[in-house]
Amino acid sequence: MFEFPKTERLCGKTAIGNLMEKGHWGTIQPLKFCYLKRGDGQSVNRVMFSVPKKYFKRAVVRNLIKRRLRESYRLQKSLLGEAGVDLMIVYNAPEVVAFDFLREEVERILKEVSRLVK
């Protein structure tokens, strides 16, 4: 239940391009998100995380934030249900925030996307 397997990771140039082109954007500070309900009939939700180099030059810090985002998602992905959604979460702040705060914001994003997709 609390796993994050390869099948749930959004990857591939076509899938990411499709999400960026047709997806719907939203913001819950310090995060931006883009979601798109897939029409292929699959119920697996796919997600990707991005931390821009613009704010964090050192890869160690970018990886720390991505690990925190992945863990936040992994623990709360049941909030999204089985909607067949592609989701991208982008960290959009110049400072590192605490894990508990990130977890609350990811929870808000998942609830918002779940509400909008249904």
Side-chain angles (χ1 to χ4, degrees):
M1 181 177 157
F2 292 119
E3 300 169 341
F4 188 50
K6 174 78 171 153
T7 56
E8 292 182 9
R9 295 173 195 241
L10 179 62
C11 54
K13 197 172 188 178
T14 308
I16 295 170
N18 194 25
L19 172 64
M20 299 282 284
E21 181 182 319
K22 299 177 184 173
H24 305 282
W25 287 88
T27 303
I28 295 180
Q29 288 297 334
L31 304 171
K32 284 174 55 176
F33 62 96
C34 182
Y35 67 94
L36 178 65
K37 180 154 176 69
R38 292 191 319 272
D40 59 5
Q42 293 184 355
S43 63
V44 175
N45 300 316
R46 299 185 302 181
V47 66
M48 72 175 284
F49 304 96
S50 176
V51 180
K53 202 173 189 179
K54 172 183 173 182
Y55 294 125
F56 303 103
K57 303 296 183 206
R58 296 190 169 265
V60 173
V61 180
R62 290 195 306 272
N63 291 337
L64 168 74
I65 295 169
K66 284 191 275 189
R67 277 196 309 272
R68 288 180 179 178
L69 287 170
R70 277 194 304 267
E71 184 69 4
S72 299
Y73 173 77
R74 184 185 71 83
L75 294 172
Q76 304 177 90
K77 66 182 178 181
S78 60
L79 296 173
L80 200 53
E82 293 184 3
V85 173
D86 285 348
L87 175 66
M88 175 175 59
I89 298 177
V90 180
Y91 190 85
N92 201 24
E95 67 278 339
V96 179
V97 297
F99 173 73
D100 295 329
F101 181 74
L102 267 183
R103 186 172 176 178
E104 292 170 8
E105 300 308 304
V106 169
E107 178 182 357
R108 287 177 57 199
I109 287 173
L110 295 178
K111 286 180 178 178
E112 180 76 11
V113 170
S114 176
R115 182 183 65 80
L116 293 170
V117 167
K118 291 185 180 178

